[in-house]
């Protein structure tokens, strides 16, 4: 459960705010809708009553009594009587008959009979007309129909009005029904708003707006302020968060919304990110860094929300630990040499004490000339002083562990070979691995041995390291060069499973190849082209790091790892 943050000032709860806002919006829209509907209904009622007035006018215009009164001289009283009868039966406010001169022949106010109307005759076109009439009887819905004589000619106009209060009364009788509908819609909207507010509250885990804003600020500050890469995944495995440190360590620009398979090439890094590779503190090598990756699933109330991956840069730390482990190994070798030197001195002192001066002299010469003879033997085949020093040093340390390193007769390397620095790293790691394998293997005829071959031609440098150990298991041949893969526990402070992976990356960087085979033990063969050409994909993975920073490729020079 998320910790509740203290509220930053007074304020209503988020659900209350949402509910109040939506209720207010629904109320305003309901009122506006009700008013618009009432206005539209009033217009419709006006039109209906105008058409009704027109129908009454047409009925009056066809009344024989009115026609006779308008055509037969001396029968004008018939028109008023017929108009009053029709008005009473239809509940119209008035039925006015007008001749073509605009003179009234009927009117609800008798004093207006015989007077002219102020408006012109509009039915001369033979059509009926409707409208609102603010006449002497008050505002009314009006309909006017032409009055035809026996010959079919227009002899006048019949105007009928229905009082405004009839229209208003009909509207007021309909409005409660409309108000009921609007109230039901408002109630349903309020219930839906309440349900939505509850759902939003659950979705935000009960956090208020100020708390959500604070959490967002804290998250941004934390993600971009820590010196540790953080990548978040949703339940579908898509990347949702990548902080600045993760972009730097993983060398990516933007990956939001993508899966690890869409961003990273196939390998240990992608497997560690998407959860295929399980475990804690997984060591992953890139072309620039040595990383420690941890993936932790995230859940809340039994629901899986995704996962969070942390990435830590341990390049410098691993380099220091490996260097420390190498120094410890060198210290142990020097301690062993001290004991060996003391033993030789004891033998020499004993021979002198026995008077065996000639034997003592021969023993001293033999002991003093053993190491110079080894150095001279290597110098005859290897021209680079750095490579000579590396081979002699490794041979000395190996000898203290009971392993003899031999340089093949066909070995030949110039003073300044191509890829010298990388070659030193590769040779050092492979020799360390071979010595470890020879020590752990069964005793072979002639003792534990490691054979080194370095052959430089016009097109390539071929390096081969063979040992008398147990060899590489057949099922491990495909995965032996993966970073973190090892069959032996960590040695001292240095983690195993990195040496061969580093060698493999370094060989690829220089455009070469590395293979593993088996004779008595394991045989590693490395070929580095002298042209400097890089195979497809190697150039993209070539490290571009400032010299002041230790890279995984440089770490290999600090010591090897036995598979």
């Amino acid at each position: 459960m998320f910790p509740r943050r203290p509220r930053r000032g007074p304020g209503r709860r988020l659900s209350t705010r949402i509910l109040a806002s939506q209720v207010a919006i629904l109320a305003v829209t309901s009122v506006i809708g009700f008013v618009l509907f009432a206005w539209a209904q009033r217009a419709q009622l006006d039109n209906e009553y105008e058409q009704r007035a027109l129908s009454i006018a047409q009925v009056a215009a066809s009344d024989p009594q009115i026609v006779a009164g308008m055509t037969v001289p001396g029968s004008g009283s018939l028109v008023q009587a017929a108009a009053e009868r029709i008005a009473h039966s239809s509940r119209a406010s008035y039925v006015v008959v007008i001749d073509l001169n605009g003179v009234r022949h009927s009117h609800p106010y008798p004093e207006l009979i015989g007077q002219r109307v102020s408006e012109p005759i509009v039915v001369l076109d033979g059509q009926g007309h409707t409208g609102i009439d603010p006449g002497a009887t008050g505002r009314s819905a009006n309909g006017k129909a032409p009055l035809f004589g026996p010959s079919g000619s227009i002899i006048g106009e019949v105007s009928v009005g229905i009082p405004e209060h009839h229209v208003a009364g009909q509207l007021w009788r309909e409005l409660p029904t409309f108000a009921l509908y609007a109230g039901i819609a408002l109630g349903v909207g309020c219930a839906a708003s309440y349900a939505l507010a509850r759902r939003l509250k659950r979705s935000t885990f009960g956090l208020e707006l100020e708390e959500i804003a604070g959490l967002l600020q804290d998250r941004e500050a934390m993600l971009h302020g820590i010196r540790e890469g953080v990548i978040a995944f949703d339940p579908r495995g898509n990347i949702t968060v990548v902080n600045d440190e993760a972009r730097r360590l993983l060398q990516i620009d933007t990956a939001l919304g993508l899966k690890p398979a869409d961003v990273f090439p196939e390998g240990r890094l992608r497997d560690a990110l998407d959860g295929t590779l399980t475990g804690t503190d997984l060591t992953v090598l890139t072309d620039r860094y040595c990383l420690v990756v941890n993936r932790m699933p995230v859940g809340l109330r039994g629901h899986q929300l995704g996962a969070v991956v942390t990435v830590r840069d341990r390049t410098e730390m691993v380099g220091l630990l490996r260097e420390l482990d190498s120094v410890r190994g060198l210290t142990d070798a020097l301690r062993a040499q001290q004991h060996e030197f003391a033993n030789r001195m004891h033998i020499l002192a004993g021979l002198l004490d026995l008077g065996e001066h000639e034997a003592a002299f021969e023993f001293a010469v033999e002991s003093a000339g053993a190491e110079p003879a080894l150095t001279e033997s290597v110098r005859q085949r290897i021209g680079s002083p750095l490579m000579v020093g590396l081979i002699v040093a490794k041979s000395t340390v190996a000898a203290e562990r009971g392993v003899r390193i031999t340089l093949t007769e066909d070995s030949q390397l110039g003073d300044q070979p191509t890829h010298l620095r990388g070659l030193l790293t590769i040779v050092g790691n492979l020799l360390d691995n071979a010595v470890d394998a020879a020590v752990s293997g069964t005793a072979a005829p002639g003792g534990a041995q490691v054979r080194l071959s370095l052959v430089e031609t016009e097109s390539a440098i071929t390096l081969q390291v063979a040992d008398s150990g147990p060899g590489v298991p057949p099922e491990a041949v495909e995965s032996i060069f993966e970073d973190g893969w090892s069959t032996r526990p960590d040695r001292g402070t240095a983690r195993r499973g990195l040496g061969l992976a580093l060698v493999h990356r370094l060989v690829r960087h220089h455009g070469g190849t590395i293979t593993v085979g088996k004779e008595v033990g394991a045989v590693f063969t490395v070929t580095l082209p002298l042209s400097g050409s890089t195979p497809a994909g190697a150039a993209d993975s070539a490290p571009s790091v400032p010299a002041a920073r230790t890279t995984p490729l440089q770490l290999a020079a600090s010591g090897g790892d036995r598979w």
Side-chain angles (χ1 to χ4, degrees):
M1 183 67 181
F2 290 114
R4 296 301 300 267
R5 297 170 53 90
R7 294 192 178 183
R8 304 181 180 180
R12 292 178 298 174
R13 296 167 57 187
L14 175 60
S15 57
T16 305
R17 296 182 193 181
I18 295 175
L19 180 60
S21 300
Q22 293 198 352
V23 168
I25 293 173
L26 286 172
V28 171
T29 54
S30 297
V31 170
I32 294 175
F34 180 78
V35 171
L36 293 176
F37 187 82
W39 179 81
Q41 187 65 17
R42 174 55 186 268
Q44 182 178 353
L45 288 175
D46 285 341
N47 183 65
E48 290 179 359
Y49 273 82
E50 289 170 1
Q51 294 297 324
R52 180 179 174 184
L54 178 61
S55 298
I56 297 173
Q58 291 172 342
V59 170
S62 62
D63 187 273
Q65 188 176 348
I66 292 178
V67 174
M70 291 295 293
T71 57
V72 177
S75 57
S77 59
L78 296 177
V79 176
Q80 177 66 11
E84 289 178 351
R85 174 173 51 80
I86 294 174
H88 178 73
S89 62
S90 64
R91 301 180 63 183
S93 61
Y94 61 85
V95 176
V96 178
V97 180
I98 307 169
D99 60 21
L100 295 180
N101 296 321
V103 177
R104 299 186 183 95
H105 291 263
S106 67
H107 198 277
Y109 299 144
E111 64 271 16
L112 296 180
I113 296 175
Q115 296 184 10
R116 293 180 179 275
V117 295
S118 58
E119 66 271 9
I121 303 299
V122 297
V123 297
L124 297 178
D125 57 358
Q127 303 294 326
H129 295 267
T130 61
I132 300 297
D133 179 23
T137 60
R139 184 180 176 86
S140 60
N142 179 258
K144 296 178 180 180
L147 179 61
F148 297 95
S151 63
S153 60
I154 296 176
I155 60 174
E157 174 184 272
V158 179
S159 177
V160 176
I162 299 177
E164 176 73 12
H165 63 83
H166 286 187
V167 181
Q170 180 67 26
L171 178 62
W172 282 108
R173 284 190 295 272
E174 295 181 0
L175 284 182
T177 304
F178 302 152
L180 176 62
Y181 293 156
I184 294 175
L186 179 61
V188 173
C190 291
S193 300
Y194 179 76
L196 176 61
R198 292 290 302 271
R199 180 175 180 180
L200 288 177
K201 187 173 180 64
R202 290 194 301 268
S203 299
T204 57
F205 305 103
L207 298 177
E208 304 301 333
L209 289 178
E210 295 81 2
E211 295 172 326
I212 295 174
L215 286 175
L216 178 61
Q217 295 172 359
D218 295 344
R219 192 200 76 160
E220 291 300 311
M222 177 190 67
L223 286 178
H224 301 290
I226 60 175
R227 295 293 296 172
E228 186 168 298
V230 177
I231 305 177
F233 298 88
D234 63 15
R236 294 176 297 177
N238 297 323
I239 299 174
T240 56
V241 174
V242 182
N243 71 344
D244 296 337
E245 185 67 6
R247 286 189 171 94
R248 183 183 71 86
L249 295 177
L250 301 179
Q251 297 296 298
I252 58 177
D253 294 328
T254 178
L256 298 181
L258 302 177
K259 296 182 181 295
D262 302 326
V263 181
F264 304 99
E266 184 179 0
R268 183 178 174 85
L269 175 60
R270 191 173 81 181
D271 293 341
L273 293 178
D274 62 17
T276 303
L277 192 63
T278 59
T280 59
D281 291 337
L282 300 175
T283 301
V284 176
L285 295 178
T286 68
D287 295 315
R288 291 194 175 193
Y289 305 104
C290 178
L291 306 176
V292 174
V293 179
N294 283 282
R295 179 185 171 96
M296 181 67 64
V298 178
L300 182 65
R301 299 174 183 174
H303 299 286
Q304 290 298 321
L305 303 180
V308 174
V309 175
T310 59
V311 182
R312 287 176 289 162
D313 183 8
R314 293 195 58 182
T315 305
E316 296 181 359
M317 181 181 296
V318 170
L320 292 174
L321 292 177
R322 291 170 64 83
E323 184 176 352
L324 176 61
D325 193 64
S326 297
V327 171
R328 287 181 177 177
L330 180 60
T331 302
D332 293 339
L334 291 175
R335 187 180 295 111
Q337 287 185 344
Q338 179 184 2
H339 287 293
E340 179 65 19
F341 181 75
N343 291 334
R344 291 179 180 179
M345 290 299 98
H346 291 156
I347 294 174
L348 185 61
L351 290 176
L352 292 175
D353 186 53
L354 293 174
E356 298 289 341
H357 299 92
E358 183 175 352
F361 178 76
E362 292 178 355
F363 178 75
V365 171
E366 180 182 355
S367 299
E371 185 170 345
L374 173 63
T375 303
E376 186 62 28
S377 174
V378 175
R379 288 184 62 87
Q380 290 178 359
R381 300 178 179 86
I382 306 299
S384 171
L386 295 176
M387 185 62 71
V388 172
L390 176 65
I391 296 175
V392 171
K394 295 294 184 182
S395 299
T396 302
V397 174
E400 299 299 333
R401 299 181 63 185
V403 179
R404 182 164 61 94
I405 297 179
T406 59
L407 186 65
T408 60
E409 295 292 335
D410 60 343
S411 295
Q412 189 67 36
L413 190 67
D415 295 340
Q416 292 294 331
T418 307
H419 313 311
L420 176 60
R421 185 173 180 178
L423 192 61
L424 290 170
T425 302
I426 295 171
V427 171
N429 274 275
L430 292 181
L431 285 179
D432 285 341
N433 281 338
V435 170
D436 285 345
V439 171
S440 63
T442 57
Q449 299 182 20
V450 172
R451 185 180 77 251
L452 171 65
S453 174
L454 270 171
V455 179
E456 180 180 12
T457 64
E458 294 181 355
S459 59
I461 297 177
T462 302
L463 161 67
Q464 189 175 83
V465 177
D467 60 66
S468 58
V472 180
E475 65 275 7
V477 172
E478 296 296 331
S479 57
I480 193 172
F481 296 113
E482 294 181 2
D483 41 313
W485 194 94
S486 178
T487 59
R488 299 184 62 182
D490 294 345
R491 181 186 62 203
T493 57
R495 300 194 63 174
R496 291 190 177 273
L498 298 180
L500 288 178
L502 292 170
V503 169
H504 182 254
R505 287 180 177 271
L506 189 58
V507 170
R508 287 179 54 201
H509 169 55
H510 289 298
T513 60
I514 180 171
T515 60
V516 58
K518 183 175 178 61
E519 291 180 357
V520 177
V523 179
F524 288 89
T525 304
V526 175
T527 301
L528 299 178
L530 297 184
S531 60
S533 59
T534 306
D540 296 335
S541 62
S544 175
V545 186
R549 184 174 181 85
T550 304
T551 67
L553 299 184
Q554 295 169 336
L555 292 181
S558 302
D561 283 315
R562 176 62 184 157
W563 48 85

